[in-house]
């Protein structure tokens, strides 16, 4: 590890550009030995434009502003918006939103379907089919896309922290974030990941869903600026943030992948 331009860089925590996602990538990300794997041009330009046209016909909603004050809009439910202040899963509202999003998505006939394509290609690299995460046998929704116009503050995503008593039928060993960008801003919009995980004693640094930036002081980081069509996987248990896009659109299909205790990959958004 060394200092470079005032930042700490760590060769063992780097962004790797690869033609495909592989099984080894998943294990290296799960173990924290890689910051991110980026597959450039995962989708071609025509598919990105087609996806943008199709999704412009779908209703988007502002993400729960109490939880995420960063002005993010999205299509489809994301599990963390269905956690009550007491920490319970708001099942009825979630399943209703998931059913609605599935019907709207099917009716929009987005072809090729970027989410289906992503699940199929990651499954091929992983070596067996990715299955949906389930709660009491019911499959969670993973077809979410979001528009991040002003960035996202430093945070981490870990379902095992959000629901310490467990929520899924499966036990998770690691959680990865998958993003597939179909439109990016001219300026800004880089993703940064720090080699810093959340520790329970960090609660004083918590500010809603985000964490205070002192938490990452002195920790190595790695960044990449996605282009339209690029896809990336990173370990969402590490602190990460999205740079301001100055109001421009930055649209990505996004879901989580869980590596289960029995070495399966499951997906949800
Ligand atoms: O849009 C990105 O680059 C990352 C967004 C994010 O916070 C996530 O996928 O967990
Ligand atoms: Fe995140």
């Amino acid at each position: 590890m060394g200092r470079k331009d005032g930042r700490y860089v760590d060769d063992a925590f780097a962004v790797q550009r690869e033609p495909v996602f592989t099984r080894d990538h998943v294990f290296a990300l799960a173990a924290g030995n890689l910051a991110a794997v980026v597959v450039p041009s995962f989708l071609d330009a025509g598919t990105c434009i087609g996806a943008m046209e199709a999704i412009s016909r779908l209703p988007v909603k502002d993400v729960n502003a109490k939880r995420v004050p960063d002005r993010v809009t999205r299509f489809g439910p994301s599990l963390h918006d269905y956690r009550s202040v007491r920490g319970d899963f708001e099942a009825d509202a979630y399943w209703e939103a998931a059913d609605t999003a599935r019907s709207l998505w099917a009716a929009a006939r987005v072809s090729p379907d970027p989410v289906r394509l992503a699940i199929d290609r990651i499954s091929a690299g992983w070596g067996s089919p990715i299955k949906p995460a389930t709660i009491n046998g019911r499959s969670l929704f993973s077809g979410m896309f979001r528009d991040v116009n002003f960035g996202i503050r430093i945070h981490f995503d870990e379902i095992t922290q959000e629901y310490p008593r467990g929520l899924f039928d499966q036990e998770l060993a690691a959680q990865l974030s998958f993003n597939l960008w179909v439109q990016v801003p001219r300026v800004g919009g880089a993703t940064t990941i720090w080699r810093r995980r959340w520790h329970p004693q960090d609660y004083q640094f918590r500010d809603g869903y985000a964490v205070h930036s002192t938490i990452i002081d002195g920790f190595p980081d790695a960044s990449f600026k996605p282009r339209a069509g690029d896809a990336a996987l990173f370990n969402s248990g590490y602190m990460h943030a999205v740079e301001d896009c100055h109001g421009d659109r930055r649209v990505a299909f996004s879901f989580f992948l869980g590596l289960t205790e029995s070495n399966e990959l499951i997906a949800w958004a």
Side-chain angles (χ1 to χ4, degrees):
M1 185 166 103
R3 274 185 87 90
K4 192 175 161 189
D5 308 326
R7 290 173 37 231
Y8 285 93
V9 289
D10 185 341
D11 294 338
F13 193 71
V15 174
Q16 225 165 282
R17 287 189 163 68
E18 299 284 348
V20 289
F21 297 110
T22 67
R23 191 171 181 89
D24 286 349
H25 293 150
V26 171
F27 286 125
L29 290 165
N33 295 330
L34 260 182
V37 176
V38 177
V39 174
S41 305
F42 190 87
L43 295 182
D44 61 37
T47 306
C48 292
I49 294 165
M52 281 302 294
E53 270 166 18
I55 71 181
S56 68
R57 297 191 298 270
L58 289 167
V60 291
K61 256 188 150 149
D62 287 340
V63 166
N64 185 347
K66 278 203 223 94
R67 194 182 70 82
V68 181
D70 293 331
R71 290 200 271 166
V72 175
T73 50
R74 65 163 161 68
F75 166 78
S78 122
L79 195 60
H80 18 227
D81 274 352
Y82 293 84
R83 187 170 168 274
S84 73
V85 275
R86 289 181 50 232
D88 300 320
F89 174 48
E90 294 170 330
D92 292 348
Y94 174 82
W95 294 119
E96 193 189 322
D99 288 346
T100 306
R102 282 193 183 106
S103 326
L104 288 168
W105 183 254
R109 293 178 186 277
V110 187
S111 177
D113 177 337
V115 179
R116 190 68 261 157
L117 210 136
I119 296 276
D120 288 348
R121 280 208 219 151
I122 306 167
S123 296
W126 170 248
S128 60
I130 296 171
K131 296 178 190 145
T134 60
I135 298 174
N136 299 329
R138 210 161 162 186
S139 296
L140 276 86
F141 176 76
S142 2
M144 192 261 278
F145 62 80
R146 89 184 135 215
D147 200 344
V148 170
N149 312 126
F150 300 93
I152 308 183
R153 293 180 300 157
I154 304 168
H155 69 284
F156 69 104
D157 306 284
E158 246 175 8
I159 186 78
T160 49
Q161 294 281 335
E162 288 167 39
Y163 294 98
R165 291 186 303 275
L167 184 64
F168 294 171
D169 300 332
Q170 301 87 355
E171 294 280 347
L172 293 187
Q175 179 171 337
L176 310 183
S177 254
F178 172 82
N179 282 275
L180 171 55
W181 293 271
V182 288
Q183 184 165 332
V184 295
R186 277 161 302 153
V187 182
T191 304
T192 300
I193 302 139
W194 287 268
R195 195 170 203 171
R196 168 69 153 98
R197 298 190 72 116
W198 169 259
H199 307 300
Q201 66 270 30
D202 293 334
Y203 65 90
Q204 78 265 25
F205 296 122
R206 200 109 197 222
D207 173 11
Y209 90 103
V211 296
H212 197 267
S213 63
T214 51
I215 208 168
I216 48 85
D217 276 351
F219 284 86
D221 65 66
S223 296
F224 60 92
K225 195 172 144 96
R227 298 169 65 150
D230 292 356
L233 273 177
F234 62 86
N235 187 323
S236 61
Y238 287 84
M239 300 296 161
H240 55 278
V242 178
E243 186 192 19
D244 189 0
C245 310
H246 310 283
D248 267 0
R249 300 194 71 182
R250 183 181 184 280
V251 181
F253 291 92
S254 188
F255 52 78
F256 294 114
L257 287 179
L259 175 63
T260 69
E261 299 283 3
S262 49
N263 270 351
E264 289 188 306
L265 279 186
I266 56 170
W268 74 97

